[in-house]
């Protein structure tokens, strides 16, 4: 064990921030944040989201990283080391990323399909009826599954070839490029005629739209977007040298991540207003608005291809981080070879994606009852992963740190035995012991529908 710990490679500070940002900035920011904002009342959702990032998000990011840095183990081993009873929290870190990857691959496939269409000169056709174009595509049986497979294969090749390091190097260039291009799209979008109404929707909180459902959606999205609640940050933290100021990294990463999400919103909502796209359109939102924005730019096709390529890159860095969770468990605990484990995870994930994708068309009649109403397979898997299991993992992490491992030990890990100051100690202590677990629990009751039954 000791041996194994010492043999762990280690990250430089910048390397860690890039890897963690690569994992966290993905389709969650660019695709999901805008459509959730649209569905949940606009500005008020953004406000609740940012408050949760600064409180629960920051706390959980620091907590997970500290556990990883201290134990230098994979999530399952890490939680087992802190408390045998709570080893199951680490186990969630294998199951949940797997669940997420099954539908993440589908969205990755959509991005690929749009890139292919831009290249084939279909931008003009697309913008004629963006909603119809998207709807016809996702509800068809074959095409979305084909593109999902292509996305899976790309990820497989990257993980298999062990070029993750190369990807990290590329992310030094491509991540900033994504930000630059986002800003260009934002500038185009906010200068569209009629943009003001969209900005108002996005920025001006309408408190009459604030419900428990808004808060619950925001919490799930914070966990999803920051890659929290399933050990991804435990895994990254385990590669950190002891002398890393993780209070700082846990501040920088959520700021970058929220920055990307906020920019995506600035690109989308003015365009919704300008081209009368329904803000509540759901998963199709960015696929409807962005092509229309690009179409209104000189050289639009080129912008569209480059932008969607960068979205694809962000999606790949997140997807590979998700796949890595079950793969590294199969290697460490089941003694599998990396190649076998990767093939197995990719194949099973792809097979699961088939009914999920079909549930957006052919199989839409097949639904699962939940306290929150019946859901198709695609929505149901996302709901279980993001709204039920991830917050539960966050809740138990707070309990483990606050009451089992103990704040003193946690502080030692954060400050590296006093080397760094712990400026937010009082805040984080109260968050971890009381506020975060209680808040997460209440919001979780809402997510699974029990709240609604009690307070009818
Ligand atoms: N955060 C990523 C996104 O926003 C998704 C993701 C990647 C993730 N790795 C994760 C979510 C690990 C939870 C845990 O797209």
């Amino acid at each position: 064990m000791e041996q194994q710990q010492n043999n762990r490679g280690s990250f430089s500070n910048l390397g860690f921030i890039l890897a963690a940002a690569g994992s966290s900035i993905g389709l969650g920011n660019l695709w999901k944040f805008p459509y959730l904002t649209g569905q949940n009342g606009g500005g008020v959702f953004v406000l609740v989201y940012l408050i949760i990032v600064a409180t629960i998000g920051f706390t959980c990011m620091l907590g997970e990283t500290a556990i990883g840095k201290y134990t230098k183990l994979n999530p399952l081993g890490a939680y087992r080391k802190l408390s045998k009873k709570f080893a199951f929290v680490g186990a969630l870190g294998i199951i949940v990323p797997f669940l997420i990857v099954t539908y993440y691959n589908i969205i990755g496939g959509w991005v690929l399909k749009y890139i292919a269409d831009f290249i084939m000169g279909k931008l003009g056709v697309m913008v004629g009826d963006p909603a119809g174009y998207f709807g016809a595509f996702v509800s068809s049986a074959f095409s979305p599954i084909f593109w999902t497979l292509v996305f899976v294969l790309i990820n497989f090749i990257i993980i298999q070839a062990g070029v993750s390091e190369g990807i990290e190097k590329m992310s030094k260039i491509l991540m900033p490029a994504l930000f630059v291009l986002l800003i260009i799209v934002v500038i185009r979008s906010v200068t569209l005629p009629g943009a003001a109404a969209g900005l108002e929707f996005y920025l001006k909180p309408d408190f009459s739209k604030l419900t428990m459902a808004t808060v619950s959606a925001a919490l799930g999205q914070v966990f999803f977007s920051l890659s929290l609640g399933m050990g991804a940050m435990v895994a990254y933290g385990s590669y950190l040298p002891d002398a890393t100021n993780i209070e700082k990294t846990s501040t920088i990463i959520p700021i970058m991540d929220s920055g990307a999400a906020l920019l995506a919103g600035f690109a989308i909502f003015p365009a919704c207003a300008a081209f009368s796209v329904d803000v509540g359109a759901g998963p199709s939102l960015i696929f409807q608005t962005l092509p229309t924005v690009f179409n209104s730019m000189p050289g639009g096709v080129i912008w569209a291809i480059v932008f969607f390529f960068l979205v694809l890159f962000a999606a790949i860095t997140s997807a590979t981080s998700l796949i890595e969770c079950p793969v590294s468990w199969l290697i460490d605990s089941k003694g599998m070879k990396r190649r076998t484990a990767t093939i197995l995870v990719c194949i099973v994930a792809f097979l699961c994606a088939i009914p999920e994708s079909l549930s957006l068309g052919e199989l839409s009649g097949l639904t699962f009852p939940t306290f929150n109403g019946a859901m198709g397979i695609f929505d149901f898997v996302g709901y279980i992963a993001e709204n039920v299991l991830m917050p539960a993992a966050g809740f138990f992490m707070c309990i483990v740190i606050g009451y089992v491992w103990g704040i003193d030990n946690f502080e030692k890990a954060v400050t590296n035995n006093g080397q760094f100051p712990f400026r937010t100690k009082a805040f984080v202590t109260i968050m971890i012991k009381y506020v975060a677990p209680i808040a997460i629990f209440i919001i979780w009751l809402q997510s699974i529908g029990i709240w609604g039954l009690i307070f009818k």
Side-chain angles (χ1 to χ4, degrees):
M1 182 74 74
E2 214 50 65
Q3 190 61 25
Q4 200 184 346
Q5 290 185 3
N6 293 340
N7 279 349
R8 290 207 144 219
S10 68
F11 272 133
S12 64
N13 246 338
L14 180 66
F16 169 71
I17 290 176
L18 280 175
S23 160
S24 62
I25 299 178
L27 295 170
N29 311 57
L30 305 166
W31 163 72
K32 191 148 204 178
F33 177 80
Y35 92 69
L36 284 179
T37 303
Q39 283 179 329
N40 289 285
V44 75
F45 178 85
V46 177
L47 183 67
V48 173
Y49 179 84
L50 292 178
I51 291 173
I52 298 180
V53 168
T55 52
I56 299 178
F58 165 72
T59 304
C60 290
M61 176 70 74
L62 183 62
E64 277 200 25
T65 318
I67 290 176
K69 192 179 80 144
Y70 168 76
T71 60
K72 305 255 184 296
L73 290 171
N74 65 51
L76 193 63
Y79 279 99
R80 197 178 280 142
K81 180 168 173 179
L82 296 183
S83 156
K84 284 231 158 50
K85 254 195 275 165
F86 285 94
F88 71 91
V89 187
L92 284 177
I94 297 157
I95 301 159
V96 185
F98 177 76
L99 287 180
I100 294 182
V101 105
T102 62
Y103 57 92
Y104 212 85
N105 287 337
I106 299 177
I107 322 297
W110 296 353
V111 175
L112 276 168
K113 145 89 179 171
Y114 269 67
I115 294 177
D117 281 357
F118 294 141
I119 292 174
M120 308 222 290
K122 294 201 191 143
L123 180 61
V125 186
M126 212 180 264
V127 296
D129 175 15
Y133 192 89
F134 179 84
F137 162 61
V138 289
S139 63
S140 66
F142 182 74
S143 181
I145 294 176
F146 168 78
W147 289 108
T148 302
L149 182 62
V150 178
F151 186 76
V152 173
L153 285 176
I154 294 175
N155 285 309
F156 172 76
I157 291 166
I158 287 172
I159 297 177
Q160 177 54 34
V163 291
S164 308
E165 254 172 57
I167 293 289
E168 243 161 63
K169 289 210 184 88
M170 277 164 71
S171 73
K172 271 184 211 167
I173 302 164
L174 293 185
M175 277 291 169
L178 176 67
F179 274 88
V180 172
L181 225 70
L182 262 174
I183 291 171
I184 294 174
V185 179
V186 169
I187 293 174
R188 167 72 278 212
S189 201
V190 297
T191 52
L192 286 167
L199 285 175
E200 184 175 335
F201 172 79
Y202 184 46
L203 296 178
K204 199 165 157 209
D206 171 357
F207 288 98
S208 71
K209 301 234 177 76
L210 180 61
T211 61
M212 274 299 276
T214 317
V215 181
S216 152
L219 181 76
Q221 174 63 9
V222 168
F223 277 97
F224 184 74
S225 189
L226 292 177
S227 302
L228 292 176
M230 55 188 45
M233 292 303 147
V234 175
Y236 287 131
S238 75
Y239 294 100
L240 277 178
D242 288 328
T244 308
N245 185 342
I246 58 174
E247 193 185 33
K248 226 186 221 162
T249 59
S250 304
T251 313
I252 296 172
I253 297 160
I255 289 177
M256 287 172 57
D257 187 76
S258 304
L262 287 174
L263 282 175
F266 274 110
I268 301 296
F269 290 105
C272 288
F275 301 115
S276 357
V277 174
D278 171 19
V279 289
S284 69
L285 190 65
I286 72 161
F287 294 94
Q288 287 192 46
T289 44
L290 288 175
T292 325
V293 175
F294 291 122
N295 196 47
S296 74
M297 291 164 73
V301 183
I302 308 289
W303 290 111
I305 294 171
V306 176
F307 185 82
F308 271 69
F309 172 77
L310 293 172
V311 174
L312 177 70
F313 180 78
I316 289 172
T317 56
S318 298
T320 48
S321 119
L322 284 163
I323 297 172
E324 194 60 34
C325 301
V327 164
S328 61
W329 171 72
L330 288 171
I331 296 172
D332 289 351
S333 307
K334 300 284 157 200
M336 260 186 209
K337 288 211 184 70
R338 168 165 284 269
R339 189 184 169 81
T340 324
T342 315
I343 292 179
L344 183 70
V345 172
C346 286
I347 290 181
V348 180
F350 172 66
L351 293 178
C352 294
I354 295 175
E356 286 172 20
S357 178
L358 289 174
S359 78
L360 300 171
E362 223 86 358
L363 285 183
S364 60
L366 186 64
T367 56
F368 292 85
T370 73
F371 287 118
N372 284 328
M375 293 182 192
I377 308 174
F378 182 88
D379 292 332
F380 183 71
V381 177
Y383 161 77
I384 294 291
E386 290 166 37
N387 298 98
V388 179
L389 294 178
M390 288 170 75
F395 171 85
F396 286 115
M397 186 207 73
C398 293
I399 302 295
V400 170
I401 295 182
Y403 300 96
V404 182
W405 189 27
I407 295 289
D408 288 344
N409 288 323
F410 171 60
E411 180 178 7
K412 280 186 202 142
V414 173
T415 64
N416 193 28
N417 295 312
Q419 183 186 348
F420 303 111
F422 188 179
R423 296 204 175 83
T424 52
K425 183 181 172 199
F427 172 74
V428 169
T429 306
I430 295 172
M431 284 302 302
I432 283 200
K433 290 185 88 158
Y434 312 105
V435 181
I438 293 172
I440 294 174
F441 184 66
I442 294 174
I443 302 170
W444 186 80
L445 285 181
Q446 148 69 31
S447 302
I448 62 168
I450 293 191
W451 184 272
L453 294 180
I454 303 174
F455 296 97
K456 260 229 147 72

